[in-house]
Amino acid sequence: MFNIFKKSSEIDKLQKQYEKLMKEWHKLSTTNRSESDKKYAEAQNIQEQIEQLLNK
């Protein structure tokens, strides 16, 4: 009920950004391969950041 007042953690923010990039990657994969590859690379960088935060 009071979830609107809860601040999201850094991991939650990165996870949402990762999911957004993966959706964009999937959408672009059928139309523009080079842009698709860029989105995938960005998503992988964010995934690495998430793993580093989890390992701390």
Side-chain angles (χ1 to χ4, degrees), residues 5-46:
F5 300 115
K6 181 181 175 186
K7 292 185 178 183
S8 47
S9 70
E10 185 69 23
I11 294 175
D12 291 338
K13 290 177 186 177
L14 288 172
Q15 187 66 34
K16 287 179 185 178
Q17 189 176 3
Y18 175 78
E19 290 173 6
K20 179 183 172 194
L21 285 170
M22 290 304 286
K23 285 179 185 177
E24 291 175 10
W25 164 73
H26 184 44
K27 182 179 170 186
L28 288 170
S29 67
T30 58
T31 58
N32 189 342
R33 186 63 185 196
S34 62
E35 286 297 317
S36 167
D37 291 343
K38 289 178 186 176
K39 292 292 181 183
Y40 186 77
E42 288 179 42
Q44 290 305 311
N45 288 337
I46 291 176

